[in-house]
Amino acid sequence: MPDEMRPLYLISGTDGAKIEATRQRLRARAEREGGDGALEVFEPSEGRGAPDHEALLAAIPAMSLMGTRRYLLADGVEKWRDKQLAAVAQAIGGTLPPDLTLVLIARAKAPAKLLKAVKAAKGEVHNFEAPKARDMPRVLVGDAQRLGFKLDPAAARLLVERMGPEPLRLHHELERLALWAGDSGQVTAADLEEMIADTSEAAVWTLSDAVVEGDARTALRVGEQLIEQGENVTGLIYGLASRLRAACAAAAMLEEGMPPREVESQLKMHPYAAKQLVARLRDADLTDLRLATETLAQLERWCRGDADYGDELALTLALRRATGATA
């Protein structure tokens, strides 16, 4: 936040990491100037719905008894309906109290009505768009450098492959890695593999690979581990089914004689993940992959009440069948 605070700000975009950093700077400034009560936040309850616009409107003209600047923050304003937007836009169009800074956050494209009102009131507008997935590894390398450690490009690609391209999630992981690496330290892909080997997310990925490769022993071991950790069988089905559908599509293209590089480009997934998947399909049988996919569909029906036994046993039986093991 700048030294001289304006009365009105509109923050928007899909880069959750930058938006969260803005919130943290605002909170730190408010608490530094006026203590815990200097910042009042309006946001959806438990992440659902929209921030209470009526409570926000009531807070704007309120008098401060502290003699310091007041800060109001409304997060999730993209969820407001037209009438709510109109009411807030009208309030913005009036004269805001001189001791107030109002910050509106839209975690997507800013509503046009609100954007117009903020600009008309000479408020400050910032738009933070998340980098494209293909650019994220390069961004992570740069962010790691700013955090004081070196992240190898291969490790950055692995992070995106395993965790997805969501900036806020990746930024939190970078902060954790910065503590592990220390000042001027380095994180390689090998370091990363070792660190995440026991996490649920890595285990789900390992389970997917085992099913694709027909490795029954690994699939059953990892499946049992995930259940013991409290993972939901239905959630596992979603991850496995997505991976198997991609494997079936890739195997079909390879069987038709399409070059591996071209197959990788046809898959709707991160390039590094696509390359790893295609590499695992060198000895795969398309018929077996389709059977595994059908087995997961059967498992989903079981978990919706089509079986007389529990989800855990259903998962074990499905993994045995999907990997070609005897029942």
Side-chain angles (χ1 to χ4, degrees):
M1 286 293 182
D3 292 337
E4 183 79 25
M5 293 298 294
R6 293 196 179 190
L8 180 61
Y9 293 86
L10 175 60
I11 313 295
S12 65
T14 55
D15 194 328
K18 288 184 178 179
I19 290 176
E20 201 61 33
T22 301
R23 277 191 56 149
Q24 291 174 5
R25 289 196 299 271
L26 177 66
R27 178 175 294 280
R29 176 166 187 148
E31 292 179 353
R32 185 171 66 249
E33 293 179 359
D36 293 341
L39 173 65
E40 190 171 357
V41 178
F42 304 84
E43 56 189 348
S45 175
E46 298 181 354
R48 300 176 181 177
D52 189 338
H53 81 291
E54 291 183 344
L56 175 67
L57 293 176
I60 289 176
M63 297 292 292
S64 174
L65 301 178
M66 297 183 295
T68 58
R69 191 165 194 81
R70 292 186 302 128
Y71 294 90
L72 304 181
L73 183 148
D75 196 339
V77 301
E78 75 281 359
K79 297 179 180 179
W80 279 337
R81 297 177 180 176
D82 284 342
K83 288 185 178 180
Q84 296 169 321
L85 288 169
V88 175
Q90 183 178 1
I92 290 173
T95 302
L96 294 175
D99 67 338
L100 177 72
T101 286
L102 172 60
V103 179
L104 306 170
I105 295 179
R107 293 182 180 263
K109 184 178 180 181
K113 188 175 295 185
L114 206 56
L115 179 61
K116 182 179 179 181
V118 171
K119 287 182 176 179
K122 301 190 184 315
E124 193 166 305
V125 176
H126 296 275
N127 185 56
F128 301 132
E129 290 301 326
K132 294 180 179 179
R134 66 173 179 269
D135 298 327
M136 188 58 76
R138 175 180 54 79
V139 172
L140 291 179
V141 170
D143 288 346
Q145 187 174 8
R146 283 186 284 276
L147 287 172
F149 73 101
K150 180 181 179 181
L151 180 68
D152 284 357
R157 290 193 297 271
L158 183 59
L159 269 181
V160 176
E161 173 197 341
R162 294 295 177 96
M163 305 188 71
E166 208 284 313
L168 183 57
R169 189 180 185 194
L170 289 167
H171 183 74
H172 288 161
E173 186 63 17
L174 281 186
E175 291 178 332
R176 187 179 74 85
L177 291 175
L179 293 174
W180 180 87
D183 291 340
S184 302
Q186 181 177 358
V187 176
T188 66
D191 294 328
L192 205 57
E193 287 280 11
E194 185 175 345
M195 278 186 274
I196 65 178
D198 295 327
T199 66
S200 293
E201 186 168 9
V204 172
W205 194 267
T206 301
L207 177 59
S208 300
D209 287 342
V211 173
V212 168
E213 296 174 346
D215 183 349
R217 177 178 294 182
T218 299
L220 291 170
R221 175 180 59 79
V222 176
E224 182 178 348
Q225 172 192 335
L226 287 165
I227 293 300
E228 289 178 351
Q229 291 175 187
E231 293 293 328
N232 181 275
V233 173
T234 304
L236 294 178
I237 294 171
Y238 178 81
L240 287 170
S242 175
R243 176 87 161 164
L244 277 173
R245 283 195 297 268
C248 283
M253 287 184 278
L254 289 170
E255 193 172 87
E256 292 173 358
M258 186 179 293
R261 283 183 177 273
E262 190 173 343
V263 173
E264 293 167 17
S265 67
Q266 294 294 317
L267 297 176
K268 295 181 179 179
M269 55 198 307
H270 190 275
Y272 184 76
K275 183 176 182 179
Q276 293 298 309
L277 177 59
V278 171
R280 292 182 184 280
L281 293 173
R282 289 173 183 169
D283 300 319
D285 183 274
L286 180 56
T287 301
D288 290 342
L289 289 173
R290 285 173 174 164
L291 175 61
T293 304
E294 293 169 3
T295 300
L296 282 179
Q298 176 89 45
L299 174 59
E300 185 175 10
R301 289 195 293 272
W302 283 343
C303 293
R304 290 179 178 177
D306 284 357
D308 296 328
Y309 38 82
D311 291 357
E312 291 80 4
L313 178 55
L315 175 64
T316 298
L317 294 174
L319 289 176
R320 291 180 68 87
R321 184 164 185 255
T323 54
T326 56

